[in-house]
Amino acid sequence: MDYVGRFYLSSLLHLTFYSGFYLIYLRSLGLTDGQIGLLIGLSLVLVALLEVPTGVVADKISKKASVLLSKLLLVPGTLLLYLAHSFTGVLIATLFNSLALAFLTGAETGWLYELLSRDGRESEYPMIYGRLRSFEMAGGFVEAVSGGFIAHSFDMRFAVLLSVPFALLSALILATVPADTARSGASYGRHLLESLRFVRNSPEILRLFVYANLIGLPLTAFTSFMQLYFYAVIASVIIVSWISAGYTLIGGISWYVDFGEKLRTVIYKWSPVLIPSLTLLAGVNGCLGFPTLVFGSLFFAQAFKEWQGRFQRTIPDEKRATIGSFYSLFTATLSGGLNALAGWLYGRVGIMKGLVLLSIVFLLLGAGTALKKDI
């Protein structure tokens, strides 16, 4: 199996069996919707604060080492989540898991792109990136279906504990992949300043930062709370887990299938309108929640694959993880604020009405962007 296949296998076997009912698990610990929203937002803010330091480390030391450390940090994070009995316990687990995510973002894609570029296969990156996300989603389908049955047959805590060995297995597989070789020879501070100047002086990078969030944030406002959305309609952990599994299955297919550059570009252009239109419909009628997951996943996957190809082509190898971390910092800050706002708004007016209000705002922003020629 070549290194691309090992990336795929590692993503497939990184199973977190509690993902399909995570928010319900937090509720079972006595957390309120406000505390849950705060944790989601705090997690993203923590990742944002840690993104750039971990990205610089990946560019100066090793992207491979950064990814492996990310996998290993999930072990104490998951064990702490298993042992948690209160908001404080979940908060500490969130700190570890946020650090793990920070070490992963930017480094994984940068590592993969560099290996492909070294072999003259960089033109394959959008497709391979989509397949990587597809295998990740396939693993999400397995974990959601299996996790629901495990929680029903035993309990939710056991499903959390069972996730630990799979994090280790995923790390062991990636340990066999060739290491990246591009290194920044500049000092930490100089490398950081050079990367900042690169972003500041590149209008294309700045446009891509903004555009990715216009297509991603409307769906985030829905999917971050979708377990509670569906649980309000169907009060069953198993059924909510199945819905999550269905979402990951459709998402995996969306990432795996490539529509070709021409159609992908059309979807990329109009996603700022298409995606908030779907979430608006989900807010109007609960029966449209699952179709929103299906088509929202389809449109976002195709648009983001096109975005990834454009993004990676603009970045030098020795700055790839750092600039990827700048993007993640930008996105995590916006997403963290949005989730905190959404949690507050949903608590005040309900998820349905709150989703309608947020969708209208994003639809107005997206319409203005989609009508521009240079995107």
Side-chain angles (χ1 to χ4, degrees):
M1 181 183 295
D2 69 0
Y3 62 82
V4 173
R6 278 173 272 173
F7 270 102
Y8 292 162
L9 185 59
S10 175
S11 290
L12 178 65
L13 294 179
H14 189 148
L15 303 175
T16 52
F17 292 104
Y18 58 88
S19 64
F21 54 81
Y22 175 66
L23 300 185
I24 300 170
Y25 176 68
L26 296 187
R27 268 191 175 175
S28 75
L29 300 179
L31 274 66
T32 65
D33 287 355
Q35 288 176 320
I36 292 172
L38 178 61
L39 282 171
I40 294 172
L42 179 61
S43 175
L44 292 169
V45 170
L46 284 171
V47 171
L49 293 174
L50 297 167
E51 279 288 358
V52 174
T54 55
V56 174
V57 168
D59 276 332
K60 288 185 59 61
I61 299 176
S62 169
K63 298 178 183 69
K64 177 179 179 178
S66 181
V67 172
L68 293 179
L69 180 58
S70 167
K71 301 284 184 180
L72 295 176
L73 282 169
L74 288 173
V75 174
T78 305
L79 289 173
L80 286 165
L81 184 63
Y82 165 73
L83 296 171
H85 287 87
S86 65
F87 176 80
T88 302
V90 178
L91 176 61
I92 298 172
T94 299
L95 296 177
F96 275 90
N97 291 333
S98 298
L99 183 59
L101 183 57
F103 273 109
L104 181 68
T105 53
E108 181 190 40
T109 52
W111 178 19
L112 175 58
Y113 189 88
E114 182 182 328
L115 293 178
L116 291 171
S117 180
R118 188 191 304 171
D119 293 343
R121 300 173 61 188
E122 60 268 30
S123 62
E124 300 177 41
Y125 176 77
M127 180 192 70
I128 290 175
Y129 174 82
R131 299 276 169 89
L132 181 64
R133 296 284 78 87
S134 177
F135 276 92
E136 182 181 301
M137 298 290 276
F141 174 77
V142 172
E143 68 192 21
V145 172
S146 303
F149 279 110
I150 293 168
H152 181 72
S153 301
F154 300 94
D155 59 38
M156 289 188 283
R157 283 188 183 275
F158 181 71
V160 174
L161 182 62
L162 193 60
S163 304
V164 172
F166 286 92
L168 291 171
L169 179 60
S170 178
L172 288 173
I173 293 170
L174 285 182
T176 67
V177 174
D180 53 298
T181 56
R183 299 283 187 274
S184 171
S187 65
Y188 180 98
R190 184 175 178 182
H191 174 82
L192 184 60
L193 288 175
E194 287 177 352
S195 299
L196 281 169
R197 290 193 192 103
F198 182 87
V199 172
R200 184 188 62 190
N201 296 328
S202 173
E204 179 64 15
I205 286 287
L206 294 174
R207 279 197 299 268
L208 287 168
F209 276 21
V210 173
Y211 199 78
N213 283 278
L214 281 176
I215 64 177
L217 289 178
L219 200 59
T220 295
F222 180 44
T223 57
S224 292
F225 294 86
M226 71 175 186
Q227 293 171 13
L228 300 182
Y229 174 95
F230 287 110
Y231 194 66
V233 179
I234 308 170
S236 168
V237 172
I238 282 188
I239 294 178
V240 170
S241 295
W242 286 350
I243 291 173
S244 297
Y247 170 50
T248 56
L249 178 62
I250 296 298
I253 294 171
S254 299
W255 284 112
Y256 191 86
V257 174
D258 192 87
F259 287 174
E261 184 178 356
K262 186 175 181 180
L263 182 55
R264 198 171 61 219
T265 301
V266 172
I267 294 173
Y268 174 80
K269 177 177 176 60
W270 290 103
S271 284
V273 172
L274 293 171
I275 293 175
S277 296
L278 288 169
T279 58
L280 176 62
L281 293 174
V284 171
N285 191 321
C287 294
L288 298 175
F290 190 72
T292 292
L293 293 181
V294 173
F295 290 103
S297 174
L298 176 66
F299 295 145
F300 178 77
Q302 297 304 311
F304 200 75
K305 279 194 289 186
E306 177 66 20
W307 183 91
Q308 269 285 336
R310 299 183 185 204
F311 182 65
Q312 295 292 342
R313 286 195 297 267
T314 63
I315 309 172
D317 283 338
E318 72 279 3
K319 292 181 173 62
R320 198 170 302 283
T322 303
I323 294 175
S325 293
F326 283 144
Y327 161 70
S328 297
L329 168 63
F330 182 75
T331 300
T333 301
L334 291 180
S335 296
L338 175 64
N339 278 306
L341 172 64
W344 173 83
L345 183 62
Y346 297 162
R348 293 291 299 271
V349 302
I351 289 181
M352 303 293 281
K353 290 182 180 178
L355 189 59
V356 167
L357 293 173
L358 291 175
S359 298
I360 290 173
V361 172
F362 283 115
L363 185 57
L364 293 173
L365 292 172
T369 302
L371 292 173
K372 293 181 180 179
K373 292 183 178 181
D374 185 15
I375 58 172

